[in-house]
Amino acid sequence: MKILVGIKRVVDYNVRIRILPDGSGVDTDGVKMSINPFDEIALEEALRIKEAGNAEEVVVVSIGSDACQQQLRTGLAMGADRAIQVQVDGPVQPLTAARALLKVVEKEQPGLVILGKQAIDDDNNQTGQMLSALWGRPQATFASKVELAGETATVTREVDSGLEVIEVDLPAVITTDLRLNEPRFVKLPDIMKAKRKPLDTLTMDELGVSAENDIQVGHHAPPPQRQRGIMVEDAQQLVDALKERGLL
Amino acid sequence: MSILVIAEHDGHTLNVSTARTVSCAAAIGGTIDVAVLGSGIDAIASEAAAIEGVSRVLAVSGDHLANPLAANLAPEIVALAGEYSHLLGPSTTFGKDVMPRVAALLGVNQVSDIMAVEGERQFKRPIYAGNAIIDVTVPEGATVVATARAASWKQAPQGGSAAVENRDATTSAPGHTRYVELKAAGGERPDLQSAPKVVSGGRALGSADNFELIYKLADKMGAAVGASRAAVDAGYVPNEMQVGQTGKIIAPELYMAFGISGAIQHITGIKDAGTIVAVNKDPEAPIFEIADIGLAGDLFTVIPEIEALL
Ligand SMILES: Cc1cc2nc3c(=O)[nH]c(=O)nc-3n(C[C@H](O)[C@H](O)[C@H](O)COP(=O)(O)OP(=O)(O)OC[C@H]3O[C@@H](n4cnc5c(N)ncnc54)[C@H](O)[C@@H]3O)c2cc1C
Ligand SMILES: Nc1ncnc2c1ncn2[C@@H]1O[C@H](COP(=O)(O)O)[C@@H](O)[C@H]1O
């Protein structure tokens, strides 16, 4: 079985983002960029499945400008066998990303596609669900445990009311939650080895995909800020302050 | 304009997220219908009919709709979509799972997490863990498929008396996705997503046993219990208690954080709270920058002291 993993290049989660003064977007100039943390978890899961003998090949895919080759290389250094860049300049919305991924799926015929549950830049949380809808295959979102047995996967999902378990036939799309695993660190020799692994580039034209029904994104504003309040000295003052506000 | 709200329920009762989503729909305007999909849903449909502002409840029954499987629900929702300009779901794990599948089947992008309505097709939503708020506009001609950010919308009040229209499902199960079970820690405590008071603990608690301190205080206050990701990852508490960017986004009147540092991913989940209280032994902890009432101290002494004063 082949596993396809989607990787998005995003602003590193430790960066405090800055909105451009004219509100036209978020300043990404000179900002540290990384693999979306949920996608690192997706790749780790794929590698573990391969290492357990349940898959032969792990392919990482990113839809983005040439800059995303950096994240694909990191994915190769983590242990992916091959990388595919779908070349596109500018932002890609989930429906377009899903359509492009579907074309790659049709070419590659994976038994499993693992994506992150959400990209931490746009926080959309849509692409995996959309890909499985377009593909007509099962979706198992927000996974915290994946068990494979033959042609099915049993997936534990983190839902608001607890842990939900579902069983899906393969091929299927799984999206990862934070507690699925802890991604490995990349070792220096692996970075060197990764340079020799294949990275193919496709274009949206070659795939026959173009953006449709894009949502127009307008003004960016900072969120309303909460003000620093008062500091109290002890439990008594804390309880008094709460009583004053009618909260106790 | 006509809006279809997709109800969330557990097979027995309606989830409060439905009444919140109706509030968001009311801000958009036009007629509001609610779709309840499931099996044996009469009581749930009546609950939905009692939400103020709802014109009609479509109660769609089918055995394959009994459990919340997106692969089964989405085609049925699409079958209802024709009459509507807007399809709205809650931004809960249920809505986040099913609505994008619906959007893709309709060939549109989804607006995730509506915080405010600026026009029929124009909304505000958060990106970058709530660190930027953007204006988005859905293009003309495309059905608006969206989720409503729970913490931004109050529950629409009771007092409605919508007509309930019973229908049989028109789709069948694709069969490739099977529901196994829900493992809910459950318990008698108030629901984290709707409780007016929440007491939360972080990594500083140090163990599941020590977390009893938080439960005891919460019980005394009639509060729900939350946690940081660090506390969940360490296994002190179950996952459904996580508050934050990737957990629950909540807006209680009172949020009390004990031994939580205040990482942006956690703050995102509590920004809309009325009053935030923080107890942390580090006076420089970032959580104090946004707390209304802060106390620099050791939670293991402060919590029993607070309890004694209640
Ligand atoms: C993609 C992504 C998503 C994330 N999503 C979430 C999310 O949804 N929710 C979330 O919470 N986190 C989330 N995180 C994790 C987040 O970045 C922090 O790591 C986490 O919130 C830290 O939890 P904490 O405050 O309990 O632990 P710490 O940061 O370790 O803080 C513990 C605090 O306790 C204090 N303390 C220690 N002992 C005592 C004592 N005896 N009395 C009082 N205070 C004491 C310390 O001073 C410290 O400030 C996410 C991270 C990533 C990368
Ligand atoms: N441009 C992209 N390239 C590769 N994968 C992507 C891209 N956009 C989204 N994805 C995948 O889809 C997941 C969910 O993204 P989103 O729906 O944008 O929140 C991400 O975690 C990725 O795995």
Side-chain angles (χ1 to χ4, degrees):
Chain A
M1 181 174 77
K2 189 189 288 184
I3 305 178
L4 205 67
V5 174
I7 282 185
K8 189 177 184 192
R9 173 184 164 93
V10 298
V11 172
D12 187 85
Y13 81 94
N14 279 312
V15 172
R16 246 176 211 267
I17 57 125
R18 210 178 61 90
I19 294 166
L20 293 168
D22 64 358
S24 63
V26 166
D27 191 359
T28 51
D29 233 26
V31 165
K32 184 179 180 205
M33 303 296 285
S34 299
I35 298 182
N36 180 43
F38 290 99
D39 303 350
E40 260 188 321
I41 296 171
L43 176 52
E44 177 66 34
E45 195 63 19
L47 295 173
R48 289 185 190 189
I49 292 170
K50 184 184 162 191
E51 284 156 5
N54 289 323
E56 287 81 49
E57 194 183 27
V58 175
V59 181
V60 283
V61 191
S62 191
I63 305 154
S65 69
D66 289 346
C68 78
Q69 290 187 7
Q70 196 187 343
Q71 279 63 42
L72 288 172
R73 287 286 170 205
T74 307
L76 293 171
M78 271 179 76
D81 299 291
R82 261 187 320 123
I84 300 172
Q85 177 202 2
V86 179
Q87 218 283 330
V88 55
D89 291 317
V92 177
Q93 295 196 2
L95 184 63
T96 308
R99 283 185 172 145
L101 288 170
L102 179 66
K103 293 292 178 183
V104 176
V105 161
E106 285 166 356
K107 265 181 161 17
E108 297 283 341
Q109 302 282 323
L112 196 56
V113 178
I114 314 182
L115 304 182
K117 82 164 172 182
Q118 84 197 62
I120 60 160
D121 49 3
D122 292 333
D123 283 334
N124 270 318
N125 196 334
Q126 301 179 21
T127 307
Q129 297 86 317
M130 289 186 159
L131 170 61
S132 48
L134 300 176
W135 192 12
R137 296 303 308 167
Q139 69 184 47
T141 53
F142 326 146
S144 65
K145 191 172 177 195
V146 174
E147 292 160 293
L148 294 180
E151 293 304 298
T152 65
T154 302
V155 180
T156 304
R157 308 178 52 233
E158 292 206 3
V159 296
D160 289 339
S161 48
L163 293 172
E164 185 192 275
V165 184
I166 64 172
E167 195 182 82
V168 295
D169 291 339
L170 303 183
V173 178
I174 292 174
T175 76
T176 61
D177 217 316
L178 290 170
R179 277 171 283 276
L180 182 57
N181 60 49
E182 264 187 61
R184 67 197 61 190
F185 288 104
V186 174
K187 294 193 266 329
L188 207 55
D190 295 332
I191 298 177
M192 302 309 291
K193 259 194 274 173
K195 291 196 174 131
R196 293 191 299 270
K197 291 186 180 176
L199 190 162
D200 295 323
T201 296
L202 300 168
T203 65
M204 291 293 246
D205 278 349
E206 281 169 336
L207 295 179
V209 176
S210 58
E212 270 168 58
N213 284 331
D214 262 5
I215 290 169
Q216 296 155 29
V217 178
H219 190 70
H220 289 57
Q225 291 299 320
R226 287 189 81 102
Q227 298 302 316
R228 180 185 266 275
I230 56 163
M231 292 297 284
V232 294
E233 296 297 322
D234 54 29
Q236 181 69 58
Q237 287 184 12
L238 176 58
V239 169
D240 290 346
L242 288 175
K243 283 191 174 148
E244 219 167 276
R245 290 167 194 243
L247 291 166
L248 280 182
Chain B
M1 232 177 355
S2 48
I3 305 176
L4 184 65
V5 168
I6 312 306
E8 174 174 4
H9 62 84
D10 62 2
H12 307 284
T13 53
L14 198 63
N15 188 291
V16 293
S17 66
T18 307
R20 293 186 202 270
T21 309
V22 169
S23 283
C24 177
I28 298 170
T31 59
I32 303 170
D33 290 356
V34 175
V36 179
L37 293 88
S39 161
I41 48 175
D42 290 353
I44 302 166
S46 319
E47 279 186 81
I51 300 174
E52 206 170 280
V54 176
S55 310
R56 191 166 61 139
V57 174
L58 307 180
V60 183
S61 300
D63 289 342
H64 67 296
L65 306 177
N67 295 302
L69 293 173
N72 293 6
L73 292 170
E76 196 59 43
I77 295 170
V78 169
L80 301 172
E83 305 173 36
Y84 298 95
S85 57
H86 294 60
L87 302 178
L88 223 53
S91 189
T92 55
T93 51
F94 165 77
K96 287 173 180 173
D97 187 45
V98 71
M99 297 308 289
R101 196 168 177 108
V102 171
L105 294 174
L106 294 172
V108 300
N109 279 291
Q110 172 186 280
V111 178
S112 300
D113 308 313
I114 294 180
M115 303 175 75
V117 172
E118 305 284 302
E120 284 172 26
R121 327 185 128 255
Q122 197 182 342
F123 312 98
K124 285 193 187 297
R125 65 169 298 256
I127 58 172
Y128 285 97
N131 287 300
I133 311 297
I134 55 173
D135 288 324
V136 294
T137 308
V138 179
E140 285 301 327
T143 305
V144 177
V145 177
T147 58
R149 180 177 177 271
S152 301
W153 302 98
K154 292 211 174 351
Q155 288 180 51
Q158 295 282 299
S161 55
V164 177
E165 217 176 282
N166 290 301
R167 301 185 180 183
D168 288 327
T170 57
T171 60
S172 54
H176 52 44
T177 307
R178 294 168 293 277
Y179 182 86
V180 180
E181 61 175 328
L182 176 69
K183 298 179 195 162
E188 300 299 296
R189 294 198 173 81
D191 170 45
L192 181 54
Q193 274 163 311
S194 49
K197 292 177 190 166
V198 173
V199 177
S200 227
R203 193 198 306 272
L205 268 299
S207 70
D209 285 346
N210 288 345
F211 220 89
E212 280 302 322
L213 267 178
I214 299 283
Y215 290 126
K216 265 179 66 194
L217 178 62
D219 289 349
K220 198 142 183 194
M221 295 177 56
V225 178
S228 71
R229 174 186 169 194
V232 178
D233 284 3
Y236 308 161
V237 294
N239 65 284
E240 63 266 29
M241 281 168 52
Q242 181 175 317
V243 172
Q245 180 190 15
T246 48
K248 289 180 177 149
I249 312 266
I250 58 174
E253 287 161 32
L254 174 63
Y255 184 77
M256 299 180 79
F258 292 93
I260 292 179
S261 60
I264 47 169
Q265 295 90 359
H266 188 80
I267 301 300
T268 302
I270 58 171
K271 265 188 197 159
D272 298 291
T275 297
I276 296 177
V277 171
V279 176
N280 193 305
K281 74 175 180 193
D282 173 10
E284 306 294 323
I287 190 139
F288 289 128
E289 284 164 31
I290 56 110
D292 300 285
I293 307 172
L295 171 55
D298 188 327
L299 69 91
F300 292 103
T301 53
V302 173
I303 293 181
E305 285 170 10
I306 297 175
E307 235 190 280
L309 290 166
L310 295 178

